[in-house]
Amino acid sequence: MAFDVHGSGPGLVLLHGTGSSGLRTWNTILGGLAAQHTVVLPNLPGSGGSPLPAAGTSLDLDVVADQVVSAARNAGLERFALAGASLGGALAVRAAIRHPEFVTRLITVAGFARPRPTLRLNLQLLASMYTRGDDDASRLITSLSFAEDYLDALPEGALQQVLRQIGELRPELGTTAQIELALSIDVRDDLPRLRVPTLVLTATGDRFVAPAHAYEIAAAVPDGRLVEIPGGHAAHVEDPTRSLSELLTFLAEGE
């Protein structure tokens, strides 16, 4: 599993979401996190130089979770906080369950324990659009990623620029495989077994991974804290200062 390393200090591993990469997902708040932490950004299979498994082999949640921990160890981290965005949230949960000796704190950002119906349907639609090379996928991603109020406040020219920028971000090689993994996930039985302080961060205007997913996680985690912030699925892009502050506050409690 390929990875990038930034900064110095206590270990922090950041997992990205479907069809993205470590740097692409976390770039708006990476500088603030790396100022106080050694940040490791693994790239999931099919993203950022990490190979997919052999043809005909699907991604396996346990295998990928083990690869994440191996990447962190290969980067020199003895113990570390683990944060996952969207798909990365479920991976972070499974990694913490399988390797509790390494994980000190856990954060899910717009994460999910299972794809509830609307998320499942949107993932299936995106997979279909990617398979047939539909250029309108960028419109769907934009509408799902940003809060309605955020998009409504943009001048028309700025909205068109956002659409162009999303359209220029070609899906990673493993996007379809990562969507298949996301559709297969169910870590609800893992949640009551977590033994680390857990921050469950959700955005009130998230239309991709709705807040109901976060409520489900927070209700089941023994030492879980639910925090709601304004914004959409990409709240860390809409208001990076707020997202960064919530993460740093939680991480500082364990240092």
Side-chain angles (χ1 to χ4, degrees):
M1 182 172 283
F3 58 85
D4 297 291
V5 182
H6 296 259
S8 61
L12 172 61
V13 178
L14 303 178
L15 303 181
H16 64 81
T18 305
S20 188
S21 66
L23 288 174
R24 186 186 296 182
T25 291
W26 297 98
N27 71 91
T28 57
I29 59 175
L30 176 58
L33 293 171
Q36 301 181 31
H37 299 83
T38 299
V39 178
V40 176
L41 298 161
N43 290 308
L44 303 182
S47 290
S50 293
L52 286 167
T57 304
S58 299
L59 296 180
D60 179 88
L61 184 65
D62 288 344
V63 171
V64 178
D66 291 349
Q67 289 175 332
V68 165
V69 173
S70 292
R73 300 283 289 163
N74 290 338
L77 299 185
E78 295 292 331
R79 303 188 74 212
F80 48 87
L82 182 56
S86 198
L87 166 64
L91 278 167
V93 169
R94 181 56 58 87
I97 288 294
R98 290 177 64 81
H99 302 279
E101 68 275 21
F102 298 127
V103 179
T104 59
R105 296 178 89 74
L106 182 66
I107 303 170
T108 66
V109 179
F112 55 91
R114 57 169 176 126
R116 295 164 65 96
T118 301
L119 174 57
R120 183 172 67 249
L121 292 170
N122 280 324
L123 286 170
Q124 290 170 338
L125 177 57
L126 278 170
S128 176
M129 296 178 81
Y130 287 140
T131 298
R132 64 177 184 264
D134 192 333
D135 289 338
D136 282 335
S138 62
R139 297 181 183 276
L140 178 60
I141 293 171
T142 300
S143 69
L144 293 175
S145 296
F146 298 98
E148 176 68 21
D149 289 345
Y150 177 81
L151 292 175
D152 189 51
L154 293 176
E156 183 59 28
L159 176 57
Q160 293 304 315
Q161 182 179 4
V162 170
L163 285 168
R164 285 194 298 272
Q165 290 173 339
I166 296 294
E168 290 168 358
L169 293 174
R170 295 291 91 188
E172 293 286 335
L173 176 66
T175 296
T176 301
Q178 291 169 15
I179 289 176
E180 290 176 357
L181 174 62
L183 289 169
S184 72
I185 279 175
D186 190 341
V187 297
R188 284 177 291 177
D189 289 345
D190 291 344
L191 300 177
R193 299 165 52 213
L194 288 170
R195 294 295 180 263
V196 291
T198 302
L199 173 65
V200 182
L201 189 64
T202 186
T204 55
D206 192 337
R207 290 178 294 171
F208 198 2
V209 180
H213 291 86
Y215 304 157
E216 186 171 60
I217 295 172
V221 176
D223 191 7
R225 179 191 308 171
L226 175 69
V227 173
E228 297 178 285
I229 62 174
H233 194 61
H236 60 290
V237 176
E238 298 173 25
D239 186 356
T241 301
R242 176 66 183 271
S243 297
L244 177 63
S245 175
E246 295 291 352
L247 266 63
L248 288 177
T249 297
F250 178 73
L251 292 168
E253 295 172 0
E255 296 168 1

